[in-house]
Structure formats: C-alpha cells, structure tokens
Amino acid sequence: MSKRFSQFVLLRPQLLRANRPLRRSFTAGANRSNNSRWVTGAAVAAFTLSSLTYTMTSQKPAKFDARSLAELDERTKREKGIDENSPMRLRMEQFIREQQKEIVFELEKVDGMSFREDTWSREKGGGGVSCVLQEGNVFEKAGVNISVVYGTLPKGAIAKMRVNHKTLAEADELDFYALGLSMVLHPRNPMAPTVHLNYRYFETMRPDGTSQAWWFGGGSDLTPSYLFDEDAVHFHKTLKEACDKHNKDYYPKFKKWCDEYFCNTHRGESRGIGGIFFDDLDETVADADNTFAFIQDCLKSFLPSYLPIIQKRKEMAFTEKEKEWQQVRRGRYVEFNLVHDRGTAFGLNVPGSRVESILMSLPLTASWRYMYEPEPRSREQRLVDILKNPKEWV
C-alpha cells in the first residue's frame, strides 16, 4: 500500500463526516462553527482525492494477459466500433468476417444448398465461425472458416519464430493474437478443381497490450485432377492483377513461393498448379496499412478467379475411371496437409484449438492405391508431369 493511499484510508472517516447533512443551527456562532468544519472537510477531501489521483496515474500501466486483452477488444468493438484508427487486428477481423459472408453467399448460389454455420469460442479468448457444406449438389465438401486466437507463446515457439522475425522479443513467454480466414472447396466433379485460400494476421503483444511485432500471410492455390490450361491461366492472371496493383515483384515471387511450399517433397511433386503464397510480411516489406491493402485486394480477387471455373466444370460428364483418379489425387492432398502444412501443425498444437475446424480442409473421400501409375501420354500423366515441373501460366 502506498503512503498516499494510506493517507486516504486514514482520512476517510473525516471525509465521511464532512459529507453528512448539516444540522440546522439557530445561532450565528453555531453556523460559523459548522461552516468552518465543512470547509476543512472539503479541503481534506480535495487534497486526498488529488493525492490518490497522482498515485494512480504515476503507477506503471496494468499488465494485460491474453484473456484480458480479448475482453478489452470485445468491449472496444461493442462500444466504439471499428475504423481506420482501430488496432490492425480489429480491422483485419472485421474485413475477413465481411468476406466470409460474401463468399458463403456466392457459393450457396452455385451449389443450391446452405452451409452449416457453427459459432464457437475459446476459454482463453477468441473463437470463430465455421461454415461447412457437406454432400452438396456441386461441392462434396466445402468449408469457409474464421478463427481468432488469443494465447501465450512458450519460449521454444518464440525461439523458432525469431529465425524469421528478429523484431520478436526474447522472452520466456509472449502473449499473441492470431487471426485467419481459411477456405477449401472439394467439388464432386473430377473436372472441377479443388481450391484453397488462407489469409491471416499474427501479432505479439507487450505487457501493456500494445503490438510488439506483427506480420501478414496468405495466398490462394488451385488443385485440379484434370488440367484445363485456360482455367490455370485465368486463375493465375486474376491473382497477378491483384498483386501488380501493389508491387510488380509480388506475383513472380509469391508464385514461386507457392510452388515450393505446396510440395509433397516425399513424392517429388507439387500439390497442385499453384497460385500465390506468402508469409511473414512485416515492416521490413511494407508498413501495416499498405500490406493490409494488399491483403484486401488478394482476398477480394478470389470470387472472380474461381467462380467462372466452377461454373464451366461443375456439370461436365465424367467416367468412373476419372472419378477414381480424383480420389487418388485427393489422397495426395491429404498427405500434404497432414505431413507438411505448417498451419495445420500450428493449429493442432495450440491448447484449446478446435480440431474439427482445423481438419475441415480434408476431403470427404480419398483413396490410396498401391503403386498406382497413370497411363503414359494420358491426361493424368500430363498433370503429373506439370506437378513435377511447375509451369509459368502468365
């Protein structure tokens, strides 16, 4: 207890007496005496409150843990709303929630069936909205999920992250915030490609709740079972246009990064025909506002990049043999997600994570056939050849 605060406690009875209603007096002397005591009490109260205010304002800022920061953010959203001066984490959250609704709305128009929507929360702060469609008319399985995580990084995780983020503080533990929109669509028709999208934001916090280090990541990629060159060109061209608005170097750099990241190294082939992928975009690349603008353009480019493709392919004729090939390719998709994907590994290792949402990316059906090889010079073989040697599409 501070000295000034103890003064307040000791003087409080006098202050309380001063606040009691004055008894009416019928003599001038009594009035002067009561008035004198009132002035003295008021002066003491003023001095005491001034001392207490000084003591409180001169103390160090309160320490925020992950839970208290989550509560503060919820109160900010509820009482003040979100604008361009709000913390970046809240601006990004508002944006991806809007995009989730728009994407789900458009996909329901394509499929004719509705997504199941589950809203969930985490005990230590945050939560999410999982929108999933299973056994639809067009999509065998589709998921468009948002997750918001407040948590604490242990020393080992901090050390690993510091390899790519030198601005990350060295500490035994760090409170963090992670936010992302993840989407995977697995169509029924083997002529229609699977598509994946993820855009995310990550930051660590100082003890007072302000941002200590931050970065964005994301991308979108296409995984066909049967390759139509015009679809690949359209998909990549749309992404390139979004990138070129901000930096002409982004598309070639992030396209190469995508080819290298989404690779089943144990099989020596890419998961699909790529798109863009990037991670760890922090202040060494661009400031937060410019990077956020880039993220917005990329995410908004998804519907124009994919809807024309699915509309063309969703009702094409196919054979049982072609469906079998789709199942084999989906098996390769599962292999990457469970063996190599960093996002899946991170999500499953966060205490209190929602496993159903993390594994939403896996297809409803897949197969693994022993020593399965496509026929030479077939469409299936051409796809494998391109997966082993990624192609420039634009």
Side-chain angles (χ1 to χ4, degrees), residues 84-156:
E84 61 183 10
N85 297 316
S86 300
M88 181 56 72
R89 61 181 178 270
L90 300 186
R91 294 165 63 189
M92 178 68 169
E93 180 182 345
Q94 181 186 53
F95 171 66
I96 67 169
R97 287 187 185 279
E98 293 169 351
Q99 288 299 297
Q100 181 190 39
K101 291 178 181 177
E102 183 175 351
I103 290 171
V104 167
F105 176 75
E106 293 298 332
L107 294 178
E108 286 181 340
K109 283 168 41 176
V110 171
D111 192 276
M113 292 183 64
S114 299
F115 279 72
R116 167 180 171 171
E117 181 177 310
D118 292 330
T119 300
W120 49 277
S121 60
R122 297 182 71 251
E123 183 180 352
K124 294 187 176 181
V129 180
S130 297
C131 297
V132 178
L133 172 64
Q134 282 190 166
E135 298 182 321
N137 298 313
V138 174
F139 300 107
E140 189 173 283
K141 188 177 180 186
V144 188
N145 291 354
I146 284 177
S147 61
V148 179
V149 177
Y150 294 82
T152 303
L153 292 172
K155 189 172 185 178

Side-chain angles (χ1 to χ4, degrees), residues 46-69:
F47 171 77
T48 304
L49 292 174
S50 176
S51 299
L52 179 61
T53 301
Y54 173 81
T55 302
M56 293 173 68
T57 56
S58 63
Q59 291 175 344
K60 293 182 180 180
K63 183 183 184 303
F64 285 89
D65 59 16
R67 181 193 290 272
S68 57
L69 182 64

Side-chain angles (χ1 to χ4, degrees), residues 318-335:
F318 60 89
T319 66
E320 190 62 36
K321 189 73 173 176
E322 289 166 336
K323 185 67 177 178
E324 180 182 286
W325 174 246
Q326 180 195 49
Q327 298 301 297
V328 172
R329 296 312 310 171
R330 283 183 177 173
R332 303 289 198 269
Y333 198 96
V334 171
E335 288 175 24

